[in-house]
Amino acid sequence: MTFSVHGLAVSRGVAIGRAVLVASSRADVSHYFVDPATTEDEIARVRLSRNAVMDEITRLQHDLPRDAPHEIAALLDVHLMLLQDEMLIGGVKHWITERYYNAEWALTTQYELIARQFDEMEDPYLRERKADLEQVVERVLCHMKGAASPLQAARQGAVRAGSSRKQSQQDLLLDDTLDVPLVLVAHDISPADMLQFKQSLFAGFATDVGGKTSHTAIVARSMDIPAVVGARSASQLIKQDDWVIIDGDAGVLIVDPSPIILAEYGFKQRQGELERLRLNRLRHTPALTMDRQRIELLANIEMPDDTLGAVEAGAVGVGLFRSEFLFMGRAGKLPDENEQYLAYRKAIEGMQGMPVTIRTVDIGSDKPLDRPTAKAQDGHLNPALGLRAIRWSLADPPMFLTQLRAILRAAAHGQVNLLVPMLAHASEIRQTLDLINQARAQLDARGFVYGPVRLGAMIEVPAAALTVPVFLKYFDFLSIGTNDLTQYTLAIDRSDESVAHLYDPCHPAVLRLIADTIAECNAQKKGVSVCGEMAGDVSMTRLLLGLGLRSFSMHPSQILAVKQQILRADTGKLKLWAQEVLQSENPAALL
């Protein structure tokens, strides 16, 4: 009987095939107390397995093929850091030596403890690192049980099956049993397995967990593989060898489809592949509207190596370099000035003369940095409203000055825009500018060379959007962070499932704040861009153009689809329509 499972659409396209299920091994963990005399042996068992996993990941890193997505290398680094994290290692020792838990029980207990801390994080990207922790724990448990990666058997099976695969997916029939494509269904998939997954012949994949910024989503987009994540109980509802259609555009899995549905999706798949071919032809096409308005398409990146994907996608610069990724997963040891300088310089050089916008660190009080300023905030109930972003930087001037000096030094190597997150008060603006001047003075005193930077501020809270003229007195450009602006305008924590349905970027209040910000910047001839998810959402492109936006920054994989919308748009005609949308009680109905 046909049924569907809904999740999140994270990587476009359609995949059709028979399911290969991968079970989680954590459910099989045994729980018992050990003899106090054997605690060192238990600790040694964990250590040996952890070291084996680290060796495995290190080998994978060394053997990375040249065409491997750079996102995978970065995520393998994250896994190595998690395996070396003192909170994980020390916690496991504690449970074994103090409670006499067996090694597997101690490891899973400590995992649950740390996982709860990840759950409480406000930043969605950091919150989803819980999945990475779960995966490294899973791999260590597999080694302790003497088993290989839970995906290995499935992967080998896929390679064997794929070695004789001849059929196109579009020509499949439900009674086919041979030469049928395979789709992977799992609770989650680690980056290491994703790397080998690329070399296998899975047509697509679906996972129970994960969000739009989970590593599986990031890697899927970089590999351009149809994928659905966050499908909750998919791995329990779908049986081995079931027919499954993965609709990566709609975020839906269709299980045991009827012949009519199979034929319909086969057609949709053909259309999708043709569309991708057409989009690739736009790679070198200038982003001009029909009325000859030039639109700037920029890339959002997390690490310096991401510039490769940005250039390949045709970005004309980096609109958002999220520098906090350099600060994450370091057990409290923040990157020093020279390390940051080299990273920023690498990004600048990677963009080959195009501008790079570096956002200063956007760390919140809930972030896992073992620093006094972070620990002092442990009592805060709502970190989204607490010490985060620029507030955190201003509370720790030495840290902020270190980053500012690194950015200014890197600016000697190319065009750099310095972007400050989550400002709300004029006093914060003045304090920030004072520190930038202090950083310049310190570099002068030390005899370091540095370059000019354009200064920008993010508009992420209603207070900033309602006082844009104040911001434009001090800054060269503004960047609208639509994710946070929506969250704070509607007082909706979008990570809270009980209210997530009320999170609406198309709410009239949100659109009004965006429209007014763009209009004021244009009136004062100051630069303005959108760098939130709205910028990469093709359903919003025409509206943003109609509101006067001429600069979009998004994940590189979204650039060509947005460019296609731009090539078909006439901004003169869209201007009047956009005003109608703004006046509507239900703007989404007009998009």
Side-chain angles (χ1 to χ4, degrees):
M1 182 181 69
T2 301
F3 65 94
S4 60
V5 182
H6 293 256
L8 295 173
V10 295
S11 188
R12 59 188 179 155
V14 171
I16 305 171
R18 289 190 180 273
V20 175
L21 289 179
V22 178
S24 170
S25 69
R26 249 183 345 113
D28 301 328
V29 168
S30 56
H31 302 77
Y32 57 89
F33 294 104
V34 298
D35 188 308
T38 64
T39 55
E40 286 303 319
D41 294 337
E42 290 299 294
I43 293 171
R45 283 209 299 129
V46 182
R47 186 188 304 117
L48 285 172
S49 296
R50 183 201 64 164
N51 292 344
V53 173
M54 290 179 64
D55 288 344
E56 185 179 296
I57 294 177
T58 303
R59 281 197 303 275
L60 279 171
Q61 282 184 318
H62 289 159
D63 296 339
L64 276 176
R66 288 185 177 181
D67 61 343
H70 47 280
E71 289 88 348
I72 291 180
L75 289 166
L76 290 176
D77 283 338
V78 170
H79 278 209
L80 280 176
M81 285 189 285
L82 287 170
L83 284 164
Q84 299 173 76
D85 187 88
E86 183 53 36
M87 184 179 289
L88 180 65
I89 299 167
V92 171
K93 288 180 181 175
H94 164 78
W95 297 118
I96 294 175
T97 57
E98 301 295 326
R99 299 279 186 90
Y100 305 121
Y101 289 178
N102 66 303
E104 291 86 351
W105 188 4
L107 181 57
T108 53
T109 299
Q110 188 59 19
Y111 160 75
E112 298 293 348
L113 192 68
I114 301 174
R116 281 201 296 273
Q117 297 180 18
F118 277 103
D119 285 337
E120 293 168 0
M121 292 178 180
E122 174 268 332
D123 185 289
Y125 182 90
L126 293 178
R127 193 167 52 246
E128 288 173 6
R129 299 288 66 77
K130 170 185 161 184
D132 293 275
L133 177 66
E134 181 176 6
Q135 287 166 0
V136 298
V137 168
E138 182 90 6
R139 293 176 85 87
V140 174
L141 286 171
C142 282
H143 271 272
M144 292 171 74
K145 292 161 63 177
S149 160
L151 273 184
Q152 186 171 335
R155 185 169 53 243
Q156 289 170 345
V159 171
R160 284 195 298 272
S163 64
S164 60
R165 188 181 64 173
K166 296 175 183 175
Q167 288 198 66
S168 159
Q169 290 189 63
Q170 297 94 330
D171 302 323
L172 291 170
L173 298 174
L174 291 178
D175 55 358
D176 286 338
T177 55
L178 298 176
D179 304 336
V180 173
L182 302 175
V183 298
L184 190 68
V185 181
H187 180 67
D188 201 1
I189 305 172
S190 75
D193 285 320
M194 283 291 288
L195 176 60
Q196 297 178 62
F197 168 75
K198 185 185 180 221
Q199 296 163 343
S200 73
L201 293 168
F202 291 115
F205 68 87
T207 59
D208 294 343
V209 298
K212 287 183 179 293
T213 55
S214 64
H215 71 260
T216 43
I218 292 170
V219 174
R221 284 193 289 269
S222 72
M223 293 164 62
D224 212 13
I225 294 173
V228 172
V229 303
R232 295 174 181 266
S233 52
S235 67
Q236 297 174 22
L237 296 172
I238 298 171
K239 298 175 184 173
Q240 196 80 23
D241 217 35
D242 273 351
W243 274 103
V244 175
I245 297 172
I246 295 177
D247 185 340
D249 299 307
V252 176
L253 309 177
I254 299 172
V255 187
D256 195 15
S258 66
I260 294 176
I261 293 176
L262 187 68
E264 180 184 338
Y265 270 91
F267 176 76
K268 184 175 180 180
Q269 192 177 47
R270 280 192 292 275
Q271 295 300 106
E273 289 179 359
L274 289 173
E275 179 65 16
R276 289 183 192 214
L277 289 174
R278 279 195 292 268
L279 285 178
N280 282 332
R281 294 173 191 158
L282 301 179
R283 197 177 298 267
H284 303 295
T285 302
L288 290 172
T289 63
M290 294 174 67
D291 54 335
R292 308 300 292 171
Q293 292 286 315
R294 182 173 293 278
I295 309 301
E296 188 178 50
L297 295 180
L298 305 165
N300 294 346
I301 67 170
E302 282 82 40
M303 298 297 284
D305 287 340
D306 295 344
T307 53
L308 178 63
V311 172
E312 287 179 351
V316 297
V318 170
L320 180 65
F321 179 173
R322 297 184 172 102
S323 67
E324 55 271 17
F325 280 70
L326 299 174
F327 291 65
M328 289 162 43
R330 305 172 60 95
K333 295 176 183 175
L334 303 187
D336 63 23
E337 179 181 323
N338 203 51
E339 181 181 345
Q340 290 188 60
Y341 158 70
L342 292 173
Y344 303 142
R345 177 177 172 177
K346 186 176 182 181
I348 293 163
E349 292 174 345
M351 289 309 293
Q352 306 169 18
M354 293 181 279
V356 175
T357 301
I358 303 172
R359 181 174 70 184
T360 59
V361 63
D362 188 4
I363 290 293
S365 59
D366 59 322
K367 306 302 191 296
L369 299 179
D370 303 329
R371 290 174 58 81
T373 50
K375 290 178 179 176
Q377 301 301 314
D378 286 349
H380 282 214
L381 295 176
N382 193 337
L385 302 178
L387 194 66
R388 53 159 299 194
I390 189 60
R391 301 170 186 174
W392 190 79
S393 294
L394 294 179
D396 190 351
M399 180 283 299
F400 194 32
L401 283 166
T402 298
Q403 180 174 39
L404 292 173
R405 289 194 302 270
I407 294 173
L408 291 169
R409 287 173 59 193
H413 301 278
Q415 301 179 59
V416 171
N417 303 320
L418 193 158
L419 182 62
V420 184
M422 208 177 168
L423 288 163
H425 300 269
S427 60
E428 290 176 324
I429 296 174
R430 289 191 290 272
Q431 198 176 349
T432 299
L433 297 180
D434 284 346
L435 285 166
I436 293 172
N437 287 332
Q438 279 188 47
R440 290 193 180 103
Q442 290 173 348
L443 291 173
D444 284 333
R446 298 174 188 177
F448 281 113
V449 175
Y450 60 91
V453 293
R454 292 175 71 239
L455 295 178
M458 291 201 68
I459 302 298
E460 298 180 278
V461 297
L466 292 168
T467 56
V468 166
V470 175
F471 280 71
L472 295 181
K473 280 175 58 181
Y474 298 97
F475 292 101
D476 302 309
F477 70 97
L478 301 181
S479 183
I480 306 172
T482 52
N483 303 346
D484 274 344
L485 184 60
T486 302
Q487 173 170 269
Y488 290 122
T489 301
L490 302 181
I492 297 295
D493 181 351
R494 59 182 174 151
S495 65
D496 185 337
E497 291 186 3
S498 62
V499 293
H501 63 287
L502 297 173
Y503 178 89
D504 179 13
C506 289
H507 189 287
V510 177
L511 295 182
R512 172 54 61 189
L513 293 175
I514 293 171
D516 290 350
T517 300
I518 294 171
E520 186 65 28
C521 288
N522 288 341
Q524 295 200 31
K525 300 189 184 308
K526 293 286 186 82
V528 58
S529 67
V530 167
C531 63
E533 287 182 17
M534 194 180 284
D537 182 349
V538 293
S539 69
M540 300 297 291
T541 305
R542 293 191 317 137
L543 176 61
L544 291 172
L545 289 171
L547 295 177
L549 188 74
R550 299 294 180 265
S551 179
F552 297 66
S553 189
M554 67 203 80
H555 189 280
S557 66
Q558 299 165 323
I559 287 179
L560 293 179
V562 171
K563 184 186 285 188
Q564 184 180 53
Q565 294 295 314
I566 288 168
L567 297 174
R568 296 170 175 172
D570 183 322
T571 59
K573 295 178 180 176
L574 290 175
K575 189 174 181 180
L576 288 176
W577 169 75
Q579 292 305 311
E580 291 178 17
V581 175
L582 279 183
Q583 301 303 322
S584 172
E585 289 185 7
N586 184 15
L590 301 180
L591 298 179

